[in-house]
Amino acid sequence: MSSITVDGKEYGVDEEGYLADLSTWVPGIADVMAAQDDLTLTDEHWDIINFLREYYEEYQIAPAIRVLTKAIGKKLGKEKGNSKYLYELFPYGPAKQACRYAGLPKPTGCV
Amino acid sequence: MGDMSEGGTTKKFLYLNRKASYGTVYALESLEVVLIAAAFEQDVSLAFIDDGVYQIIKGQDTKGIGMKNFSPTFNALGDYDINKLYVEKESLDERGLTEDDLMPLVYEDEDDDWAEKPSIKIVNRAEMADLMQDQDVILSF
Amino acid sequence: MSILHTVNKSAYERNALDSCLGHTKPGDSVLLIEDGVISARAGSVAGDKLAAALGETGVSIYALGADMAARGIPEDKLVDGVKVVDYAGFVDLAAENDAVEAWL
């Protein structure tokens, strides 16, 4: 298994870069993963990452993209509740990229 | 059966759940297929009969058996526009269960100012048989 | 000679519990595990059979607590006379009896 190093500590990741054990997640993991994608996380990114973590905590799944956009629109305002906004923040796709930064498993049904 | 809507035909899908959650993998497989297939925006119903009623029982705690408790995921079904969960009364009765033993699953009704409404409907065996007759596709788990 | 019988299937899905109860001798123990614990809920069809077996067959009946918790079955909803054991209790039962017979 490969791993990433955050603050001197190693965290296992699977072959697609998802954190192996979500209970080990620390915010620094998201920063390091983002840096590997040449991205610097802003408050807007963190809104989505934190939302995903809360959603997972409650429902034990990562939401599908249409569920995510609807819920973000409701929580953070209509102008943010669309996939364009989310793709601007996470160009590789909010499900794949934001979920990975959030330490969640790959979303069900995400190909 | 099935009427035309934008982007294609809408069919009636029934997911038939007959097994409890942790003894076999059927229940988890069913839930995953339901969530994946939700992207196709079909007319989806879930039926819980026989030991399947145990999938949505309250108070599941799996720490002691080292398996993931996926019962909280049923609470997300409303977000996926899946809000028709039919539970057979005879199956509850045989097992000494009542509706109060089930998780209070709800959805928000888009057409009624997002009012929270129950997703679970208790039906008798004859009504369940009618529901089965009314489907285009029945997927068994 | 005494036997610990384990039943891991729900009585509503397989006939393992019925067959097991038909093959016990006084002094034997029956331990319900995995989906087998579903049969131990009071006020149910299978629970009534268990209650009858407790009265008639001279067997002791146990249910594994971790499997009950996973299936949302609280201890106070068990058939009277069914005892809850943890994994250590499972091991004790296996050690106390001369043989373990699994009704798969």
Side-chain angles (χ1 to χ4, degrees):
Chain A
M1 188 160 57
S2 35
S3 65
I4 60 165
T5 306
V6 179
D7 294 332
K9 205 176 160 213
E10 278 199 27
Y11 297 88
V13 295
D14 68 12
E15 66 276 8
E16 291 177 285
Y18 289 83
L19 191 65
D21 179 357
L22 76 119
S23 69
T24 63
W25 185 86
V26 290
I29 287 176
D31 291 313
V32 170
M33 285 180 172
Q36 287 172 348
D37 296 336
D38 293 323
L39 193 70
T40 304
L41 297 180
T42 62
D43 288 349
E44 284 71 31
H45 291 102
W46 279 108
D47 283 343
I48 308 301
I49 292 170
N50 289 329
F51 175 85
L52 284 169
R53 287 193 62 81
E54 286 162 21
Y55 194 94
Y56 191 90
E57 179 65 30
E58 183 167 0
Y59 299 118
Q60 300 295 304
I61 49 166
I65 181 71
R66 98 188 143 90
V67 174
L68 177 64
T69 52
K70 204 156 96 178
I72 290 288
K74 224 166 140 185
K75 193 172 181 198
L76 302 175
K78 268 212 156 58
E79 71 287 356
K80 295 182 176 178
N82 57 76
S83 50
K84 182 169 173 285
Y85 174 78
L86 293 170
Y87 269 90
E88 278 165 7
L89 287 175
F90 299 100
Y92 295 103
K96 279 185 186 172
Q97 207 174 3
C99 284
R100 191 161 51 82
Y101 295 174
L104 307 188
K106 192 175 172 180
T108 300
C110 181
V111 283
Chain B
M1 285 196 284
D3 53 90
M4 296 297 286
S5 64
E6 58 172 325
T9 306
T10 301
K11 286 191 171 176
K12 299 186 79 152
F13 282 74
L14 178 71
Y15 291 85
L16 179 60
N17 298 291
R18 294 189 49 248
K19 308 261 198 287
S21 289
Y22 306 108
T24 64
V25 80
Y26 288 96
L28 178 59
E29 291 282 324
S30 174
L31 187 55
E32 291 198 333
V33 173
V34 166
L35 291 169
I36 293 167
F40 297 102
E41 302 190 11
Q42 300 293 307
D43 182 354
V44 172
S45 300
L46 272 55
F48 297 89
I49 70 173
D50 299 335
D51 282 344
V53 298
Y54 265 98
Q55 292 181 25
I56 51 173
I57 200 166
K58 262 182 202 163
Q60 299 177 37
D61 175 1
T62 60
K63 283 193 291 291
I65 61 168
M67 292 175 76
K68 179 170 161 172
N69 175 6
F70 56 88
S71 67
T73 306
F74 286 101
N75 286 302
L77 289 176
D79 294 343
Y80 287 76
D81 297 323
I82 294 164
N83 48 38
K84 290 182 286 192
L85 275 60
Y86 297 93
V87 180
E88 187 179 84
K89 183 168 187 309
E90 286 84 344
S91 296
L92 291 173
D93 290 347
E94 284 164 8
R95 287 159 186 77
L97 301 171
T98 67
E99 186 172 6
D100 286 342
D101 293 308
L102 304 178
M103 297 190 288
L105 302 174
V106 296
Y107 72 102
E108 294 175 341
D109 189 348
E110 211 168 330
D111 302 323
D112 190 8
D113 198 24
W114 305 101
E116 229 174 50
K117 297 186 177 177
S119 299
I120 291 178
K121 199 173 170 211
I122 310 291
V123 298
N124 66 33
R125 193 158 278 164
E127 291 168 324
M128 188 63 87
D130 290 340
L131 182 77
M132 292 169 178
Q133 293 292 325
D134 192 35
Q135 305 297 319
D136 295 305
V137 180
I138 299 175
L139 296 151
S140 298
F141 291 91
Chain C
M1 167 100 188
S2 68
I3 295 178
L4 170 65
H5 303 263
T6 63
V7 178
N8 75 336
K9 298 292 189 297
S10 157
Y12 304 99
E13 201 183 338
R14 305 279 180 87
N15 68 349
L17 180 64
D18 270 340
S19 190
C20 166
L21 291 174
H23 292 86
T24 55
K25 292 279 190 184
D28 281 0
S29 297
V30 175
L31 172 61
L32 305 173
I33 58 173
E34 300 171 24
D35 282 345
V37 301
I38 286 172
S39 314
R41 193 165 177 125
S44 66
V45 172
D48 292 348
K49 271 188 202 166
L50 270 186
L54 270 169
E56 292 160 13
T57 58
V59 296
S60 303
I61 300 181
Y62 302 87
L64 191 64
D67 284 320
M68 288 165 46
R71 289 155 186 83
I73 304 173
E75 286 194 25
D76 62 4
K77 297 282 181 177
L78 279 187
V79 170
D80 275 346
V82 174
K83 292 168 232 163
V84 179
V85 292
D86 58 12
Y87 288 107
F90 188 165
V91 174
D92 290 342
L93 284 170
E96 285 162 16
N97 287 277
D98 300 300
V100 178
E101 183 168 1
W103 295 82
L104 300 177

